[in-house]
Amino acid sequence: MQLKKEFVLFRHSTDTKESGQQEREKEWAGGTESYFLAEKNGVTKLIVKTDVPQEQEETFSIRFPRALGRIKALAEKMQ
């Protein structure tokens, strides 16, 4: 049995809108995203936790499932 674990944490400091023309630091700063990968017997699980400003929760709830679905498809395609 082989077990591998990986962890990544992103801390949001600023965000820009309109190619950097409008800064939204207060809206975005302070949030985090954490990604935990665990592989066991050839099966990999991805656990994602987000702590984002309330104004961004809807965006994350819509975009994350789509993005994670694409990541899954690409990872499976590479096998």
Side-chain angles (χ1 to χ4, degrees), residues 3-5 8 10-11 13-15 20 23-24 29 33-36 43 46 50 55-57 60 63 70 73 75:
L3 181 64
K4 294 180 182 179
K5 297 180 182 181
V8 176
F10 294 100
R11 293 184 194 274
S13 58
T14 61
D15 184 33
E23 191 170 307
R24 303 182 295 172
E33 300 171 44
S34 62
Y35 300 86
F36 179 77
V43 176
L46 171 62
T50 60
E55 301 84 20
Q56 296 296 321
E57 287 178 359
F60 270 73
R63 293 183 181 174
R70 284 186 259 176

Side-chain angles (χ1 to χ4, degrees), residues 16-23:
T16 58
K17 187 175 182 179
E18 299 170 8
S19 300
Q21 300 301 312
Q22 181 180 0
E23 191 170 307

Side-chain angles (χ1 to χ4, degrees), residues 65-78:
R66 290 186 212 156
L68 294 173
R70 284 186 259 176
I71 291 169
K72 182 179 186 285
L74 289 169
E76 291 173 346
K77 185 177 179 179
M78 294 178 68

Side-chain angles (χ1 to χ4, degrees), residues 1-4 38-45 75-76 79:
M1 175 177 86
Q2 184 179 13
L3 181 64
K4 294 180 182 179
E39 181 184 342
K40 184 175 180 180
N41 297 328
V43 176
T44 303
K45 287 186 179 185
E76 291 173 346
Q79 294 179 1

